Amino acid sequence: LRPGSPNPLGARYRVGPDGEAGTNFALWAGGAEAVELCLFDTEGRERRARLTELTHEIWHGFVPGVRPGQRYGFRVHGRWDPWTGARWNPAKLLLDPYARAVDAGDGNDYGALPPQVYGHVRDWPDQRVADTVRDDRDSAPYVPKAVVVHDDAPGDAWTDDRRPKTPWADSVIYELHVRGFTRRHPRIPERLRGTYAGLAHPAAVEHLVRLGVTAVELLPVHQFAHEDHLLRRGLRNHWGYNSVGYFAPHAAYAATGTAGQQVGEFKAMVRALHDAGIEVILDVVYNHTAEAGEFGPTLSLKGIDNRGYYRLGPDARRYADYTGCGNTLHVVQPQVLRLITDSLRYWVTEMGVDGFRFDLAAALTRSTHSAPDGDRPDMLSPFLAVIAQDPVLRRVKLIAEPWDVGSGGYQVGAFPPLWTEWNDRYRDAVRDFWRGALPDVRDLGYRLSGSSDLYGWGGRRPYASVNHVTAHDGFTLRDLVTYERKHNEANGEGNRDGTDDNRSWNCGAEGETDDPDVRALRRRQLRNLLTTLLLSTGVPMLVAGDEFGRTQGGNNNAYCQDNEVGWVDWGLLDDPVWRDQFDLTARLVALRHAHPVLRRRAFFSGSAHAADGDGLRDVAWFTARGTEMTEHDWYAPAATLGMYLSGRDIPGRDARGEPVTDDSFLAVLHAGAEPEPFVLPGPPWASAYEVVVDTGEERQGTAPGTPHAAGAEIVVPGRTVLLLKVRP
């Protein structure tokens, strides 16, 4: 064992100036008394070496002869004093927080977590104090091991010219689960299904290209662990919001092996998607870890320095839980902030990803000094400040889930420029409009036009709003029009889990039905929801399978359904009904790409263009009578709304410096059950109109529809969206 270097953290294989090859190990463990490096052979036999060098709270050493593929972990010595937050226990093998690969087996074992993986005696007779009694049984046989990984050659670094670099305003995001998206795909070889290689397969990429999306947002691919309560019920964590390794691709998603091969397989997947013009965004969970609260397992950070990594409560034995998952990372602490930002930079510079969606992002902004009554979200927090000045991270796509479960945690519209946000106000308004539950259309008007009431400040743009009707969490789009109540019995929690606020409408029958009228209405509602989403200003996000009728049988919390419930059913595309829905979705995406008026880079002004003097504005709103909306109209109950988008008044210039012009459109949204007469606005808005999209039709024609004169009265069928192109 040589002294080695405190930087970089983690395990780095290198060849020294004297030609000696080996691996440098470095671990931050601020309050520890000693750290042992543990090396494991293929039979699981362990060798230990004490790291004797300590520099700025980093324990380090260089071990000659240790090569890529070597499995390792750490044992950290210190006080066992849970009442003060100290939970060191050298009997527990700990995963390196900087491990770039984890050998975690195939991930298919079921059953309760072994008691040895807990730092405390889990089966202590008095459960009220069980977490205070140290368990001295060795956990090494039962926990995942880190793996030494070879660095890429210098010429293999990711550069900007190898990335799609799609502008925010032009983006269409597609949220998918690596395993769930590929597990049942008939054209992907069986051995590749459920893996990174499966997502890179031409059959998977072809679907994304045909749909026209510009980015995939992957549910968590950081190494994660399964919760004990799921394993006891014969289930496991499917979504992956239970991270334990922030640098390692989840081993169970690798087809090529788990001794470091998963790293190369992930990079190959990214390259395949980039070659198709598709960006890769990761859903990342830096707000909490799989170690849960005081009664959770000891896998990594809890045993390295519990007080340094986690927010503790006034009673230091307990954890401050702003996530609902038992713990919250203490992002104010420099070493925790370094862990997160080092991880983010690694995924950008070495793994090639293009951006991140931050789960429960408000938890990352909580500052101890932001309010007299304790931790509160703070938009001047160290986390946001570091991201804003980082030369790598400030250039990638950053999406906040702008809330957590703590006091003051709802922060929609509050994140600073540089950030976009999941806009749940959009989701709720669109769902309520199409189920007939909006008291008026004020909120809908804001949501369709980019949510300027939320984002029209501080230089933010309409693309700060990630518009979505569904997400992984909740009903699928088909279930949204099929169920009014959640049906989560398969989760084993007595149907108590998952939200009861679904804002759904089953169209007259709960669950699947043979009634042809109900089924036809549901398909129409699906067309309405998809069309509304893809015509709205902002960044649309689709969820995998929603474009062709994927269902979870009414389960709105399928986080533990690693089975047909949680997997995409590709057989639906063999049904002409769902193939038509896919075709409509692809056509709407193509329409969006073709028309800059549908993906504006600046908010509407609502004012007339002074140079022309004709009174034509960039956006105008109309009642069914063909008159412009008055203040009274905005506050009155209404099931019909017309939105005029002018292609003449688009701010900005194209790549050649020329003004941006486009066709103008009139969108008519009618949520009423009965047909509604609608008077088409006359001059100066148009001289005539032609129908481009009519969701009242099962099959959408591609040729222009019958022209209608301006001022003419047309009949809009019940529950229909019409998109009409303006003839000047």
Side-chain angles (χ1 to χ4, degrees):
L1 187 65
R2 312 289 172 79
S5 170
N7 291 299
L9 290 170
R12 290 296 178 95
Y13 173 76
R14 60 181 173 85
V15 178
D18 57 358
E20 187 172 42
T23 299
N24 190 82
F25 295 91
L27 176 73
W28 180 90
E33 297 172 358
V35 173
E36 291 178 294
L37 170 67
C38 307
L39 305 176
F40 295 85
D41 65 17
T42 55
E43 303 299 322
R45 291 185 292 263
E46 178 181 355
R47 290 180 297 156
R48 302 184 188 183
R50 181 160 292 202
L51 300 179
T52 58
E53 299 297 319
L54 181 61
T55 305
H56 304 310
E57 300 185 319
I58 297 172
W59 301 79
H60 54 92
F62 177 81
V63 186
V66 171
R67 297 181 176 277
Q70 173 67 58
R71 299 190 305 156
Y72 72 97
F74 295 106
R75 298 182 187 272
V76 181
H77 297 254
R79 291 185 305 110
W80 175 262
D81 186 12
W83 293 270
T84 63
R87 293 182 178 269
W88 284 285
N89 184 347
K92 307 306 167 184
L93 185 75
L94 305 174
L95 191 65
D96 180 4
Y98 279 73
R100 290 182 290 165
V102 176
D103 186 0
D106 62 11
N108 289 322
D109 295 331
Y110 291 87
L113 289 176
Q116 290 89 341
V117 306
Y118 294 84
H120 62 280
V121 179
R122 190 180 184 193
D123 51 1
W124 191 255
D126 187 351
Q127 282 297 298
R128 293 172 299 177
V129 295
D131 69 294
T132 66
V133 183
R134 196 173 82 168
D135 186 314
D136 292 326
R137 290 173 288 188
D138 185 10
S139 69
Y142 311 100
V143 294
K145 314 295 189 298
V147 180
V148 177
V149 175
H150 199 303
D151 288 332
D152 286 335
D156 197 33
W158 292 88
T159 55
D160 276 355
D161 59 359
R162 297 177 61 181
R163 302 175 183 272
K165 294 187 293 184
T166 306
W168 257 127
D170 299 339
S171 297
V172 178
I173 298 173
Y174 189 78
E175 187 193 43
L176 67 83
H177 187 286
V178 169
R179 178 172 168 82
F181 184 71
T182 60
R183 188 64 185 85
R184 302 178 68 184
H185 200 300
R187 293 173 53 206
I188 296 176
E190 177 67 33
R191 63 183 180 83
L192 301 182
R193 295 177 190 173
T195 69
Y196 306 117
L199 183 53
H201 190 273
V205 176
E206 178 190 1
H207 179 82
L208 300 171
V209 171
R210 290 183 61 196
L211 187 57
V213 298
T214 67
V216 292
E217 182 177 304
L218 306 183
L219 266 67
V221 296
H222 288 163
Q223 186 67 42
F224 63 85
H226 304 296
E227 295 92 328
D228 182 71
H229 70 90
L230 292 178
L231 296 175
R232 288 175 179 271
R233 296 199 297 269
L235 301 169
R236 61 178 184 170
N237 192 310
H238 177 52
W239 288 348
Y241 292 90
N242 207 37
S243 299
V244 72
Y246 290 129
F247 290 77
H250 189 59
Y253 298 162
T256 50
T258 63
Q261 298 94 332
Q262 59 265 53
V263 178
E265 186 176 328
F266 184 93
K267 291 180 180 180
M269 176 197 72
V270 174
R271 289 193 182 94
L273 291 166
H274 280 181
D275 288 346
I278 298 170
E279 294 183 307
V280 178
I281 298 170
L282 301 188
D283 196 335
V284 289
V285 190
Y286 295 112
N287 55 78
H288 75 280
T289 75
E291 293 185 304
E294 59 270 18
F295 293 102
T298 297
L299 303 171
S300 183
L301 307 182
K302 186 181 287 186
I304 295 172
D305 192 328
N306 187 57
R307 296 180 298 187
Y309 278 108
Y310 293 116
R311 290 181 181 269
L312 302 181
D315 172 4
R317 179 183 158 196
R318 315 293 184 188
Y319 293 79
D321 183 9
Y322 300 115
T323 66
C325 300
N327 65 53
T328 306
L329 281 179
H330 202 352
V331 181
V332 175
Q333 295 280 14
Q335 71 279 358
V336 181
L337 192 57
R338 178 182 178 183
L339 171 68
I340 295 172
T341 53
D342 283 353
S343 168
L344 292 169
R345 281 189 294 269
Y346 172 76
W347 286 96
V348 174
T349 60
E350 297 196 43
M351 302 296 270
V353 307
D354 306 285
F356 305 93
R357 179 265 187 188
F358 292 81
D359 181 65
L360 300 182
L364 301 174
T365 72
R366 288 186 176 271
S367 172
T368 307
H369 308 293
S370 60
D373 56 347
D375 292 358
R376 303 282 291 182
D378 179 5
M379 293 303 129
L380 298 175
S381 68
F383 170 73
L384 293 177
V386 167
I387 296 292
Q389 60 80 43
D390 189 285
V392 172
L393 301 181
R394 69 188 181 203
R395 298 171 62 187
V396 302
K397 286 183 165 65
L398 302 170
I399 306 171
E401 183 183 36
W403 51 76
D404 63 22
V405 302
S407 175
Y410 187 76
Q411 294 291 317
V412 172
F415 276 72
L418 197 70
W419 288 80
T420 65
E421 301 175 16
W422 272 24
N423 187 352
D424 67 327
R425 295 273 300 273
Y426 178 93
R427 175 199 66 199
D428 293 349
V430 171
R431 288 188 182 192
D432 283 349
F433 176 73
W434 285 112
R435 71 188 180 108
L438 272 186
D440 52 55
V441 292
R442 287 176 295 156
D443 202 37
L444 183 67
Y446 275 120
R447 304 309 145 229
L448 297 176
S449 59
S451 295
S452 61
D453 58 329
L454 300 175
Y455 305 111
W457 62 273
R460 302 188 82 182
R461 299 297 181 93
Y463 46 77
S465 176
V466 175
N467 298 332
H468 63 286
V469 178
T470 58
H472 66 273
D473 189 3
F475 281 151
T476 67
L477 199 66
R478 178 174 170 183
D479 288 353
L480 191 67
V481 300
T482 307
Y483 299 92
E484 292 187 6
R485 302 183 302 277
K486 64 187 181 185
H487 296 268
N488 298 354
E489 291 80 7
N491 296 352
E493 299 179 41
N495 207 34
R496 295 184 299 273
D497 63 305
T499 182
D500 293 314
D501 183 21
N502 295 295
R503 298 173 188 254
S504 59
W505 178 47
N506 62 21
C507 299
E510 184 71 4
E512 298 296 334
T513 178
D514 293 329
D515 187 317
D517 294 334
V518 172
R519 296 176 69 172
L521 176 56
R522 288 173 176 174
R523 293 194 297 271
R524 178 176 293 206
Q525 288 289 78
L526 289 174
R527 294 192 294 272
N528 291 334
L529 291 164
L530 285 166
T531 303
T532 304
L533 174 65
L534 290 165
L535 296 182
S536 298
T537 301
V539 177
M541 184 183 80
L542 296 163
V543 179
D546 275 356
E547 70 274 24
F548 55 81
R550 176 176 171 255
T551 176
Q552 292 178 168
N555 192 322
N556 74 354
N557 189 33
Y559 78 105
C560 57
Q561 297 298 320
D562 186 12
N563 49 45
E564 286 78 4
V565 173
W567 302 340
V568 173
D569 180 5
W570 293 93
L572 291 167
L573 282 171
D574 296 331
D575 185 332
V577 166
W578 302 119
R579 170 63 68 173
D580 287 345
Q581 182 170 308
F582 171 84
D583 291 342
L584 171 63
T585 309
R587 181 168 175 244
L588 289 166
V589 173
L591 192 70
R592 185 179 184 89
H593 289 321
H595 291 283
V597 72
L598 300 177
R599 42 187 174 82
R600 287 173 56 99
R601 288 164 166 76
F603 288 108
F604 296 100
S605 69
S607 57
H609 196 282
D612 297 305
D614 57 6
L616 188 67
R617 295 186 292 282
D618 56 1
V619 65
W621 305 91
F622 292 90
T623 69
R625 303 181 301 276
T627 58
E628 288 194 65
M629 296 278 287
T630 65
E631 184 175 2
H632 172 76
D633 293 323
W634 284 113
Y635 282 83
T640 308
L641 180 66
M643 177 176 66
Y644 181 96
L645 303 173
S646 172
R648 188 183 68 180
D649 300 299
I650 303 176
R653 295 181 178 272
D654 63 18
R656 298 184 300 275
E658 299 295 326
V660 178
T661 58
D662 192 12
D663 296 313
S664 297
F665 291 91
L666 175 68
V668 180
L669 292 80
H670 174 50
E674 301 301 323
E676 176 78 11
F678 189 95
V679 177
L680 298 172
W685 309 105
S687 61
Y689 300 84
E690 61 186 36
V691 176
V692 178
V693 175
D694 178 357
T695 65
E697 299 292 332
E698 286 275 4
R699 290 198 164 190
Q700 301 294 308
T702 56
T706 303
H708 297 282
E713 181 180 280
I714 62 173
V715 176
V716 183
R719 299 190 177 99
T720 295
V721 179
L722 295 181
L723 181 68
L724 303 100
K725 187 164 71 173
V726 169
R727 289 188 175 184

